[in-house]
Amino acid sequence: MDEHAGGPRAGGGAEPERENPIVGRDTELARLFRAVDSASDPVLVLLGDAGMGKSTLLDAAVSRAGASGARVLRAEGSESESTLAFSALHQLLRPVAAEVDGLPDRQRAALHDAFGAGPATGGRDPMLIGVAVLSLLSALAGRGPVLVVLDDAQWFDRASLDALSFAARRLAGEPVTMLVAARTGDHLPGFDRRVPTLALGPLEAAAAGRLLDLRPRRPAGRIRSRILAQADGNPLALTELARAAEAHDGPAQPPPTGPLPLTEHLERIFAARLDGLPASTTRALLLLAAMDTVDSAIAVPAALPDTDDHAWLPAEQAGLVRRTGRGLRFSHPLVRSAVYHAASADARREAHLALAELLHEEPDRRAWHLAAAATPPDAAVSAELQRTADRARRRGGHAAAATALQRAAELAPRREDSARLLVEAAAEAVLTGDLPWVEELAAAVRARTGDAALLADAAAHVGRLAALTVRHTVVFSRLADTAEELTPTRPATALDLLAGAAVVRFYSGEDAQRDRLQDLLRRLPEDPSHAWLRIWVRAVSDPFGDRDALVSLLPRVAAEARRRPDRLTAFAVMAWLLDETPWAVRAFDEAFDRWGSRGPLPEGLGGAAAWSYVEQGKWGRAREACARGSALGSTAGLDHAVACAGAVDATVLAYQGDTAAARARADEALALIDPLESRSVAVYARRALGAAALADGAYEAAYDQLRTVFTADGAPVHYHASYPALADLAAAAVRGGRRDEATAIVERSARALAAGASPRLRALISRARGLLAQPDHPDAAERHFRAALADPVLEHWPFERAQTLLDLAEWLRRRRRIAEARAPLTEALETFRRLGARPWIDRTRAEARAAGLDVTDTTPDALAALSPQQQQIVRLAARGLTNREIGEKLFLSPRTVGSHLYRTFPKLGITARSQLRDLVEATRAAGADRETVTGPRH
């Protein structure tokens, strides 16, 4: 596919010198040139109405980049191609096909599959295509600056936008600039938030006048006034209205009922130029307008006259087409639109049928041309589109598949078939994260059928996606109401809807929702085949209400997961909710190893995996899970998933001592959600902020943050997320002078949990009680600390156990029981060192020295000076992973990984990558020796 598209053999190469200089855009040009020259903005979105000069400014940026030796990749969107999955990405990357072939096997295969050149197995990680694009741009940037230009991006297919926005969010530090142009008001998934934008408004009056003065026949008098008034500062309108006035020796007459909207009026102006053109020219223009970019490459030799043919000369003289370095293209997208819509319906139909005939070896493109020529009903074309959808689905082009199925439904002769296809379209649209589209498809199903099964399936698809949004109150009511309606006739679908509603209940934390779920669950008939879903609803909506019974059912759920591995994550989530973290971690490990990421959306309760890894001390794995969750959520536009991942990531950063980064991540998470709608994420973020304050020794600030995860009267804000904060709340309260208030909260929580408390929560409550014990009851503190450490199973929560060991040791030392304090200090220090919990390492080291232990850095921790991300990269590199493999895991470009390693080598005192393994192994093996707890000093 060529870098420039839209005409016969259209492509890149040097553009001819433009007729006129750019007028009135000095500020905008300066901003673009800064981005090109210095990569000051890795991504810059240029927004403006049609005709405002976006493409002209991009051309100037391309010329500047080319003059400086930068590599330029360019793609242009087109309406007809927006239905073809990965077509825009293919257009962009076609000039660097050789570099694509140089990617690692998995990344290369992912791109080839996306472009229809691979087996299209449908089993590939959807994030891998984004990683491949990032790796490719990074590799190109290793040879020199790269400029990526995406013009008319509002017409890019969704799959391409997802991959490109994924890469765009990770370009910081790379000599790559991405310029994206789109029309104002159009939604660009992935580029529509937190991306620098440059808005092109109308030209000022003086600049508009200067632009008119550049015309060969300068408009004057009444004609000039009417042009300026009607163009309203739109550069294209100014030029074309002036051209029309010249052609007609007078101003273009306004429509009798007043001026039309600008774009429609311009289309009429362009269409007027078609009058009097030779028939061969008109036919060539219509075929060109009906094509998309790949059609051009395939069909031009057979369908269109050669660029030197006399048929093109009248179109060129009329300003409808212009020559590029390798061919012809429309002078503006509005010209294409005008040519296409000015033709009769029969002429358009003939053009599409001619192209379909020429594209018989390109079934997807042929199907869409047949669809453009079809009038409902047309069973044959509907079937063609269904096959197109199936191919798109296998390549991961879910938006393209949904679009094809939606059009197939419009052409299906039978209403029931149409409704069925719309339900299938909704299932694919769910995977784009576009809830309004899914709701639109569900509404179309309701308009076509009264079939209860199809209506239920449509409602379930809406519910599946809605559960991942931030509209929890509305979504829960909709899911619960629909489940109630379906309970008598379709209990299986009703239960499926309740499963989604339970996820919403978890996110929102609203207790009234638990009561309704329990009521609806009681009304549903018992069915052994649906037992695991009933367990899911109970575990997700109220894990501590009847925990012992739920835990006793976990083996049954585990057996189901062994028979149905696709349910492994559901089992893992339930295990985590019930504080059976070892089971959860094993199941998540198996699920990720076996399935990777099975779809382009986060799973319901996707943060459970990250939390499981945090709790079991696998912090590197937790951050990988957070990176994946954030990437999936960002791609799908699901802020709740992004916020959840950010809150967990912030917690790990706080534990590791990177408190500034932790606060930034937690604040980002809070900014994405409504705390009254998303209590779970709000609590997670506040816990992270509290952990960061504890790490900094700011105990009053820590208490203020952790106090917010309980209500004014001390009840948990969230029925699951609040309870793990009890011990940290107590630690902050004791040092901040808030002992009595914290004691009341802890005791209220203990009464609420009662027998439903897990061993982990009982340990946390015991630790909190030990910290809060009154000084005049010294035995109580020790009793509570010992109770918190008594159960061997608590070793599965190493960080929490080490905190309790440190608390016990501090209490013992302050009671002058120094010899007894040394063993828990030694164990706590070893655990904190293994985890990389720097603030707690420092605190434990100080306490050990105060206890008379000889703690010396005989083997200094070389990794301690690195950031958490650098430590993660170093450990992966030490395992032998390449920069590309590390990048795939952490969603970074290989150059970014290499840059981190380059900066870490001097800090580590090494000069070669081969030394990393020995260094990391020595650091790990010498955990105790590093602090050399050799016994009391004499």
Side-chain angles (χ1 to χ4, degrees):
M1 199 169 293
D2 298 314
E3 288 180 72
H4 291 289
R9 285 175 293 283
E15 292 281 353
E17 194 72 27
R18 289 193 170 270
E19 293 180 21
N20 300 319
I22 298 174
V23 174
R25 299 298 191 195
D26 292 347
T27 301
E28 292 86 349
L29 270 177
R31 176 79 182 279
L32 285 175
F33 287 170
R34 280 200 307 275
V36 170
D37 294 343
S38 63
S40 57
D41 290 315
V43 184
L44 182 62
V45 175
L46 191 61
L47 296 176
D49 292 332
M52 283 297 177
K54 302 182 295 296
S55 296
T56 300
L57 290 175
L58 290 180
D59 286 345
V62 167
S63 296
R64 180 148 180 129
S68 66
R71 180 67 177 267
V72 178
L73 297 176
R74 187 167 187 168
E76 297 179 7
S78 67
E79 284 183 280
S80 63
E81 203 166 352
S82 62
T83 57
L84 298 170
F86 297 108
S87 56
L89 186 64
H90 191 192
Q91 182 190 157
L92 184 78
L93 300 185
R94 182 165 181 164
V96 290
E99 286 82 354
V100 170
D101 289 340
L103 289 172
D105 291 345
R106 292 178 68 241
Q107 296 179 29
R108 181 179 65 252
L111 280 179
H112 285 170
D113 283 1
F115 298 155
T121 60
R124 296 204 176 274
D125 184 339
M127 291 295 99
L128 197 58
I129 295 172
V131 172
V133 174
L134 181 63
S135 297
L136 180 63
L137 295 178
S138 178
L140 292 171
R143 306 171 197 169
V146 175
L147 176 64
V148 178
V149 177
L150 312 177
D151 199 2
D152 280 322
Q154 74 276 359
W155 289 329
F156 277 29
D157 63 278
R158 176 61 187 271
S160 293
L161 279 175
D162 288 346
L164 289 165
S165 63
F166 177 95
R169 289 189 294 272
R170 292 158 179 81
L171 289 177
E174 299 279 357
V176 178
T177 300
M178 186 178 289
L179 302 180
V180 186
R183 291 188 183 177
T184 302
D186 282 303
H187 176 56
L188 284 186
F191 291 101
D192 52 354
R193 294 183 57 176
R194 299 181 292 277
V195 176
T197 60
L198 177 60
L200 289 185
L203 293 179
E204 295 180 355
R210 290 199 305 274
L211 187 58
L212 287 182
D213 290 340
L214 294 171
R215 297 299 307 162
R217 292 170 58 187
R218 177 178 175 271
R222 185 171 60 89
I223 295 175
R224 184 185 185 91
S225 297
R226 294 187 69 175
I227 291 172
L228 288 170
Q230 189 158 345
D232 195 26
N234 185 295
L236 182 64
L238 286 161
T239 301
E240 298 307 325
L241 287 169
R243 191 194 299 268
E246 295 166 9
H248 295 88
D249 196 28
Q253 294 299 315
T257 57
L260 294 172
L262 183 60
T263 54
E264 185 175 347
H265 189 77
L266 285 174
E267 282 191 10
R268 286 197 173 192
I269 290 172
F270 289 130
R273 295 189 204 160
L274 297 171
D275 295 339
L277 290 179
S280 60
T281 302
T282 302
R283 182 178 183 278
L285 286 170
L286 180 55
L287 281 169
L288 183 57
M291 290 180 177
D292 63 33
T293 52
V294 170
D295 290 347
S296 300
I298 298 169
V300 158
L304 291 178
D306 188 83
T307 53
D308 295 328
D309 193 280
H310 62 85
W312 293 113
L313 183 59
E316 194 172 1
Q317 290 173 338
L320 298 170
V321 296
R322 61 188 176 93
R323 295 183 181 275
T324 68
R326 286 181 289 171
L328 291 168
R329 63 187 299 190
F330 283 116
S331 57
H332 189 272
L334 287 177
V335 178
R336 179 181 189 173
S337 178
V339 168
Y340 187 81
H341 292 290
S344 67
D346 286 343
R348 291 198 298 268
R349 184 172 184 274
E350 289 176 6
H352 284 296
L353 288 174
L355 290 170
E357 179 64 26
L358 290 166
L359 293 165
H360 57 88
E361 293 185 0
E362 296 288 331
D364 294 337
R365 300 178 188 282
R366 178 177 182 274
W368 277 109
H369 281 297
L370 290 173
T375 54
D378 194 319
V381 177
S382 179
E384 289 274 4
L385 286 170
Q386 291 174 57
R387 288 189 283 272
T388 287
D390 188 52
R391 287 187 290 270
R393 182 191 294 117
R394 292 200 303 269
R395 296 200 304 271
H398 301 287
T403 304
L405 288 166
Q406 187 174 14
R407 179 61 174 145
E410 293 169 359
L411 295 172
R414 297 178 62 251
R415 291 177 66 83
E416 289 302 307
D417 289 338
S418 177
R420 174 184 56 78
L421 290 169
L422 286 168
V423 170
E424 292 182 26
E428 291 301 312
V430 162
L431 300 174
T432 70
D434 190 340
L435 182 58
W437 188 14
V438 179
E439 291 174 328
E440 172 195 329
L441 292 165
V445 175
R446 291 193 294 272
R448 280 170 169 78
T449 185
D451 185 289
L454 291 175
L455 292 173
D457 289 344
H461 291 320
V462 173
R464 179 186 173 196
L465 180 55
L468 297 174
T469 71
V470 295
R471 297 161 44 186
H472 300 312
T473 302
V474 172
V475 170
F476 180 86
S477 296
R478 182 184 298 165
L479 291 171
D481 290 348
T482 307
E484 187 170 14
E485 292 173 11
L486 294 172
T487 293
T489 57
R490 291 186 57 81
T493 304
L495 184 57
D496 194 44
L497 290 169
L498 288 186
V503 174
V504 180
R505 144 71 173 160
F506 182 90
Y507 288 152
S508 72
E510 177 60 56
D511 286 340
Q513 295 175 355
R514 173 200 58 201
D515 299 336
R516 185 154 192 218
L517 282 169
Q518 291 176 344
D519 176 60
L520 291 171
L521 202 59
R522 281 192 293 269
R523 297 194 212 174
L524 286 169
E526 294 282 351
D527 185 334
S529 66
H530 300 148
W532 79 275
L533 262 186
R534 297 182 72 94
I535 298 169
W536 167 269
V537 174
R538 291 170 59 193
V540 173
S541 61
D542 191 18
F544 302 129
D546 192 9
R547 181 181 178 276
D548 288 345
L550 288 169
V551 169
S552 71
L553 295 172
L554 279 181
R556 182 195 304 181
V557 181
E560 177 78 9
R562 282 191 291 272
R563 291 193 299 270
R564 294 277 305 274
D566 56 313
R567 292 181 179 170
L568 270 172
T569 54
F571 165 69
V573 167
M574 286 186 270
W576 169 72
L577 287 166
L578 294 166
D579 275 338
E580 295 294 329
T581 305
W583 276 21
V585 168
R586 287 194 296 271
F588 278 127
D589 280 346
E590 183 178 350
F592 292 152
D593 290 344
R594 182 178 298 190
W595 293 99
S597 175
R598 293 167 40 244
L601 289 184
E603 292 289 339
L605 296 179
W611 275 121
S612 298
Y613 292 131
V614 171
E615 291 167 9
Q616 203 164 69
K618 298 183 176 183
W619 292 353
R621 193 77 188 257
R623 295 205 69 200
E624 290 177 27
C626 289
R628 177 171 294 280
S630 182
L632 288 167
S634 295
T635 297
L638 297 172
D639 287 347
H640 192 274
V642 177
C644 185
V648 186
D649 202 33
T651 303
V652 177
L653 289 166
Y655 290 168
Q656 293 175 323
D658 196 347
T659 55
R663 281 188 287 272
R665 291 285 277 147
D667 288 342
E668 289 170 5
L670 288 170
L672 289 172
I673 53 99
D674 178 345
L676 296 179
E677 286 278 316
S678 301
R679 291 177 178 85
S680 60
V681 173
V683 167
Y684 294 148
R686 294 297 176 188
R687 280 171 49 187
L689 290 170
L694 283 173
D696 287 338
Y699 296 109
E700 290 186 11
Y703 186 83
D704 289 342
Q705 292 291 348
L706 295 170
R707 181 65 183 82
T708 65
V709 310
F710 297 90
T711 64
D713 59 359
V717 167
H718 189 274
Y719 64 95
H720 186 272
S722 291
Y723 289 126
L726 287 168
D728 283 347
L729 177 78
V734 169
R735 292 170 175 82
R738 312 290 284 275
R739 186 190 302 264
D740 292 344
E741 184 180 36
T743 298
I745 293 172
V746 170
E747 295 308 320
R748 175 169 180 157
S749 294
R751 290 192 300 273
L753 287 165
S758 64
R760 177 207 180 192
L761 288 182
R762 288 198 294 271
L764 289 172
I765 289 171
S766 293
R767 179 190 169 213
R769 285 169 167 166
L771 288 164
L772 295 167
Q774 295 293 337
D776 54 349
H777 292 85
D779 293 343
E782 181 176 8
R783 184 174 68 254
H784 290 309
F785 286 139
R786 299 287 186 190
L789 297 166
D791 193 335
V793 76
L794 299 175
E795 293 180 0
H796 293 295
W797 292 268
F799 183 65
E800 293 171 4
R801 176 178 168 80
Q803 286 178 303
T804 306
L805 287 166
L806 177 57
D807 291 334
L808 172 62
E810 287 178 334
W811 185 88
L812 289 170
R813 189 183 67 78
R814 282 161 179 70
R815 299 303 178 282
R816 300 186 181 281
R817 295 163 62 180
I818 294 173
E820 294 176 69
R822 290 169 182 159
L825 279 172
T826 300
E827 185 178 348
L829 186 57
E830 181 179 354
T831 299
F832 290 141
R833 296 292 315 209
R834 177 170 53 82
L835 296 174
R838 286 182 288 181
W840 282 267
I841 293 169
D842 293 342
R843 182 175 148 194
T844 310
R845 180 191 292 138
E847 190 67 26
R849 286 172 176 152
L853 291 170
D854 186 9
V855 182
T856 58
D857 292 330
T858 56
T859 308
D861 182 3
L863 303 186
L866 307 182
S867 71
Q869 186 176 65
Q870 288 174 333
Q871 291 186 34
Q872 211 174 353
I873 290 171
V874 164
R875 288 192 170 95
L876 290 172
R879 285 164 44 189
L881 274 68
T882 66
N883 289 0
R884 284 174 167 174
E885 291 168 336
I886 296 169
E888 280 188 19
K889 278 186 167 290
L890 304 183
F891 303 108
L892 301 171
S893 74
R895 281 173 53 81
T896 299
V897 172
S899 176
H900 277 301
L901 287 173
Y902 178 80
R903 292 196 299 272
T904 61
F905 278 18
K907 297 178 183 178
L908 298 175
I910 63 175
T911 58
R913 193 184 189 105
S914 58
Q915 297 172 272
L916 285 174
R917 180 177 178 180
D918 290 343
L919 183 145
V920 169
E921 287 184 352
T923 301
R924 185 185 300 117
D929 293 341
R930 272 195 298 274
E931 299 297 346
T932 317
V933 185
T934 56
R937 294 189 299 272
H938 298 291

